[in-house]
Amino acid sequence: MFDLPETWGVPVVRADFRNDGVWEQLKADIVSPTEEGFVAGVEFVEDRALVGLSEAAIVAGYPRGYPRQYGHAVVFVADAVTVSRPERPLLVVNLNERHETGPFRTLPRQVQAIQNNLSIANMDFFEFARAAGPDGVFRGF
C-alpha cells in the first residue's frame, strides 16, 4: 500500500519523471480556470515510489479509505501513460470505500469538473467513469 499524501486539496500525483515540461504543462492546465470560471482544488505531489508501476499496480496500491480514513474521494495520477499520450490522460483512482467503480482516465482540463462535483457531492465517481469514452478517457459531458 502507498501512503496517501496528506493534502488540503485533492492530490495530483506525479508518478513519471521523464519529462519536466509535460508535468509543468499538466499543472498549468489543471489550475487554469474553466470557461465557466471553475478552478480545481488540488495539490501537486511527486511520488517516486510509483515510478515504473503499471496502472493496475498504482490502483491496487491506494487503499479505499474515504470518508473514514482519508479526506478525498479520488486521487489523480500522472503516470507513464499520461506522459506518453498526446492528450495527457490522467489516471483517476476511486478512493471511496462505498463504491466499487474502477479507475478511468481524464483529460487535464476535466480535473476541475471532477474535483468540484465530487467535493460537493453533486455527482458520484461512477457517473464520470460511465461517461468515459470507449478508450476509457473522460472528455466531458
Side-chain angles (χ1 to χ4, degrees):
M1 293 285 188
F2 304 120
D3 290 329
L4 291 166
E6 293 185 28
T7 59
W8 287 100
V10 172
V12 178
V13 180
R14 183 181 188 185
D16 188 291
F17 292 80
R18 293 177 291 165
N19 191 325
D20 291 338
V22 167
W23 177 240
E24 293 304 319
Q25 186 60 54
L26 281 169
K27 292 189 326 186
D29 289 346
I30 292 168
V31 299
S32 296
T34 65
E35 290 180 15
E36 298 85 12
F38 295 108
V39 294
V42 299
E43 287 187 45
F44 298 100
V45 178
E46 298 190 10
D47 190 347
R48 292 192 181 273
L50 303 178
V51 172
L53 296 178
S54 68
E55 176 179 311
I58 291 171
V59 172
Y62 283 117
R64 289 199 179 170
Y66 173 83
R68 289 183 304 118
Q69 298 173 342
Y70 193 59
H72 306 296
V74 298
V75 61
F76 296 95
V77 181
D79 62 357
V81 172
T82 306
V83 173
S84 65
R85 292 192 185 163
E87 288 185 299
R88 308 290 185 224
L90 295 148
L91 179 62
V92 188
V93 181
N94 180 15
L95 301 177
N96 193 326
E97 63 190 4
R98 296 182 185 133
H99 300 286
E100 293 298 319
T101 307
F104 64 94
R105 290 193 174 269
T106 189
L107 299 183
R109 293 295 295 155
Q110 295 301 320
V111 169
Q112 298 91 331
I114 296 167
Q115 183 276 316
N116 287 192
N117 282 290
L118 292 179
S119 70
I120 61 170
N122 186 50
M123 296 179 74
D124 288 320
F125 186 91
F126 76 88
E127 294 176 277
F128 291 101
R130 186 175 52 204
D135 61 354
V137 178
F138 175 73
R139 293 178 174 84
F141 293 105

